[in-house]
Amino acid sequence: MRKKLLTILSAAFFLFACSDDNRVADPEARSRFAKGADVSWVTEMEASKIKFYDAAGNEKECMKLMKSLGMNSLRLRVWVDPVKGWNNKQDVLLKAFRAHALGMRLMIDFHYSDSWADPGQQNKPAAWKSLDMKALTEAVASHTADVLSTLKANGIEPEWVQVGNETGNGMLWEEGRASEHMDQYAVLNNAGYDAVKRICPNAKVIVHLQNGGDSDLFQWLFDGLKRNGGKWDVIGMSLYPTAKTWQTETEKCLGNARSLIHRYGCEVMICEVGMSWDEAEAAYDFLSALIAGAQQIPDEKCLGVFYWEPQSYGGWNGYSLGAFDNQGRPTVALDAFK
């Protein structure tokens, strides 16, 4: 009990020290704040007979379990033509339907690839490799519209849509590599943006970058997009600190968020966070401080925080930054979402 009290006091002091606005959000604002998780692995894990349990050891369906842990939103990635089918349009529809049935808010994350798109790889789908710039732009628009139209036809409209994933150097390399072709990246980005608005006009479009505390990266990329007519509604951020660095990295991320809001006049979203599953108490401190700090940003300009694949455990796909223990139960880290 004494340790938990010290944890709470430490987090509170950290928030007061790093915030330039110490107001506490009102209850209505807190209900609008998205607290969520990317659970895109869930159908693949279920197919591998992996089970999920609550803290008492009772078996639970994954998305229902996330809701019971205080989450109100889910994020799902989309790949174009993945070899094994996971994260394709049909798989995304199945997961989105389940989330919608639970009343969960939804973020769709387009990778514009057949597999992972991230800072180290932004590979074009195999079917798009020979396309010229004009055809590539049309493919982005067509794919985006196709997936969203399928969701909409089934009564599902996402609240947020990412046009690319961790695009700190653009997407769809080489044509869309921002360091070489910022103008072309802006064209590809806008093809996705316009397609989202055509199908789901109320959805907010996110441009999402890695390393949430790296203000130089964010200003370089968004200044470049702005010069080239790039469009976005929300700036998305990732943050993966360690147990030793979370205080410094959280402060830098929140500071960067406030700076970006001021510089570009837009909203921000923490689209991905994670920490090693076996550092659960540090992860709880980190998440508590990040969520509270994000909620204290003036005018509700930070829209929410999403944990990336918290339900992964037991070394699933070699990933160790989930928030479940080796028995498939949520760690104390996820108490921060309650």
Side-chain angles (χ1 to χ4, degrees):
M1 182 67 184
R2 182 174 178 272
K3 187 172 184 180
K4 187 70 172 286
L5 178 60
L6 289 172
T7 291
I8 293 169
L9 290 172
S10 175
F13 178 80
F14 167 76
L15 284 170
F16 185 85
C18 76
S19 175
D20 60 4
D21 188 327
N22 296 308
R23 294 175 295 174
V24 176
D26 61 61
E28 184 180 352
R30 290 185 183 277
S31 70
R32 288 190 296 266
F33 188 83
K35 294 188 289 184
D38 188 316
V39 294
S40 301
W41 266 328
V42 65
T43 45
E44 186 178 358
M45 295 179 79
E46 289 169 344
S48 297
K49 309 300 182 186
I50 291 177
K51 307 290 187 181
F52 308 99
Y53 305 90
D54 64 19
N58 302 304
E59 184 178 338
K60 298 287 185 180
E61 189 276 325
C62 180
M63 294 185 186
K64 288 183 180 178
L65 181 53
M66 295 300 145
K67 187 172 183 177
S68 73
L69 292 169
M71 297 184 186
N72 57 25
S73 306
L74 294 173
R75 176 180 186 249
L76 302 173
R77 62 180 164 270
V78 186
W79 293 343
V80 177
D81 189 21
V83 172
K84 296 182 180 180
W86 305 115
N87 305 312
N88 67 10
K89 181 175 70 174
Q90 291 74 25
D91 184 44
V92 170
L93 174 61
L94 173 63
K95 290 178 286 196
F97 191 84
R98 288 166 55 174
H100 182 70
L102 289 171
M104 303 288 274
R105 301 156 72 186
L106 185 64
M107 182 192 299
I108 295 295
D109 172 18
F110 284 95
H111 281 227
Y112 299 119
S113 180
D114 291 335
S115 186
W116 304 105
D118 54 46
Q121 53 191 346
Q122 294 284 341
N123 301 317
K124 287 183 285 187
W128 300 4
K129 284 188 180 298
S130 63
L131 300 182
D132 62 18
M133 184 61 190
K134 182 176 183 295
L136 191 60
T137 303
E138 292 171 351
V140 169
S142 177
H143 170 64
T144 305
D146 179 42
V147 172
L148 295 179
S149 294
T150 299
L151 294 175
K152 191 171 182 178
N154 286 273
I156 304 165
E157 290 200 46
E159 191 167 342
W160 314 278
V161 179
Q162 275 188 221
V163 177
N165 187 74
E166 293 192 325
T167 55
N169 195 14
M171 62 188 185
L172 293 162
W173 293 343
E174 291 297 318
E175 286 83 351
R177 188 187 288 270
S179 57
E180 302 292 332
H181 309 289
M182 184 69 78
D183 57 339
Q184 293 186 168
Y185 167 51
V187 169
L188 294 168
N189 173 82
N190 288 359
Y193 182 99
D194 291 343
V196 174
K197 295 299 185 178
R198 187 168 68 253
I199 306 302
C200 299
N202 294 322
K204 294 183 177 183
V205 179
I206 301 172
V207 174
H208 166 226
L209 276 59
Q210 70 277 14
N211 300 338
D214 188 344
S215 59
D216 290 341
L217 170 66
F218 278 75
Q219 289 186 21
W220 170 78
L221 192 285
F222 285 99
D223 280 358
L225 275 180
K226 188 175 181 180
R227 284 194 306 271
N228 288 277
K231 304 175 188 178
W232 70 88
D233 301 321
V234 179
I235 292 176
M237 317 171 88
S238 291
L239 188 64
Y240 290 93
T242 68
K244 292 182 178 180
T245 66
W246 74 261
Q247 289 176 300
T248 298
E249 293 195 46
T250 299
E251 183 176 355
K252 290 170 92 173
C253 183
L254 292 173
N256 191 27
R258 291 189 292 269
S259 176
L260 293 167
I261 291 164
H262 176 75
R263 188 178 185 90
Y264 303 107
C266 66
E267 297 167 318
V268 300
M269 174 80 86
I270 316 291
C271 296
E272 293 184 21
V273 298
M275 189 183 287
S276 183
W277 74 271
D278 56 357
E279 297 282 1
E281 291 189 5
Y284 171 82
D285 294 346
F286 157 56
L287 292 167
S288 298
L290 181 65
I291 291 169
Q295 289 175 325
Q296 289 174 347
I297 288 177
D299 302 319
E300 302 172 43
K301 290 291 188 179
C302 185
L303 302 180
V305 174
F306 285 72
Y307 202 106
W308 199 82
E309 301 283 9
Q311 83 287 358
S312 59
Y313 70 93
W316 171 260
N317 275 358
Y319 189 67
S320 63
L321 304 184
F324 276 41
D325 65 21
N326 283 331
Q327 286 71 51
R329 299 171 301 186
T331 69
V332 68
L334 295 183
D335 288 350
F337 286 93
K338 293 180 179 178

